[in-house]
Amino acid sequence: MEDKDTKIISGIEEKAEHITPAEVDKVLSSEKVIDAKEDKVKREKLFKLFDQVKLGMQMMKDFKAKRYTQVPWRTVGLITAALLYFINPLDIIPDILPIFGYTDDAVAFAAIFKSIQTDLKNYCHWKGLDPANYF
């Protein structure tokens, strides 16, 4: 399993290095798809992880609207790449498989959001949110 997890994370990190503004727009316009998947995953007990996903989405919206610009492009790229992977129904483990279908998504999100945790916490402080609700 370790090799598969490493492959997922490496693929997302590689994709993040080449994220374009158009891909950021695609993720932001896919919020309803992400919300629908979130509902399924929350039923599978991954609450904190999706709180972080929603926080990342909020941060990207504020970044795009130029309200919050203290976020590195690398962080925007990682969130975008992870969400593009998430909304792709044909990832390594198909999402139609109950519980297991979201395992690869959860592994990817956990690693990515851990690597950008400082940026997300800084955003929480800027937004007046308590980071303890997300981490």
Side-chain angles (χ1 to χ4, degrees):
M1 180 123 151
E2 186 70 31
D3 293 331
K4 181 182 64 161
D5 297 349
T6 302
K7 183 179 176 182
I8 293 166
I9 294 163
S10 295
I12 289 173
E13 287 177 340
E14 184 178 318
K15 173 73 174 157
E17 292 176 15
H18 307 288
I19 288 296
T20 65
E23 289 170 310
V24 172
D25 291 341
K26 178 180 179 180
V27 164
L28 292 175
S29 69
S30 298
E31 189 168 14
K32 285 185 173 47
V33 173
I34 292 167
D35 288 345
K37 281 190 161 193
E38 174 189 4
D39 289 340
K40 289 179 185 176
V41 173
K42 276 190 172 182
R43 283 181 257 151
E44 294 168 15
K45 310 281 189 260
L46 298 172
F47 295 103
K48 279 283 191 192
L49 187 57
F50 262 89
D51 291 341
Q52 293 172 16
V53 170
K54 296 303 266 185
L55 180 66
M57 285 288 289
Q58 288 177 12
M59 185 173 70
M60 288 176 47
K61 286 178 182 179
D62 283 333
F63 175 80
K64 176 99 170 119
K66 297 182 175 27
R67 290 185 294 263
Y68 183 74
T69 58
Q70 295 92 349
V71 58
W73 183 252
R74 176 188 179 274
T75 296
V76 172
L78 284 170
I79 293 170
T80 302
L83 290 171
L84 285 170
Y85 180 81
F86 181 65
I87 61 178
N88 177 7
L90 302 175
D91 52 25
I92 291 177
I93 301 173
D95 293 340
I96 58 170
L97 298 174
I99 299 173
F100 299 109
Y102 293 108
T103 302
D104 56 329
D105 299 324
V107 166
F109 278 144
I112 297 305
F113 282 89
K114 182 156 181 66
S115 77
I116 62 171
Q117 189 171 14
T118 300
D119 294 329
L120 290 171
K121 284 182 178 181
N122 290 340
Y123 175 71
C124 280
H125 294 299
W126 176 83
K127 190 89 171 168
L129 302 171
D130 183 358
N133 293 331
Y134 300 91
F135 303 98

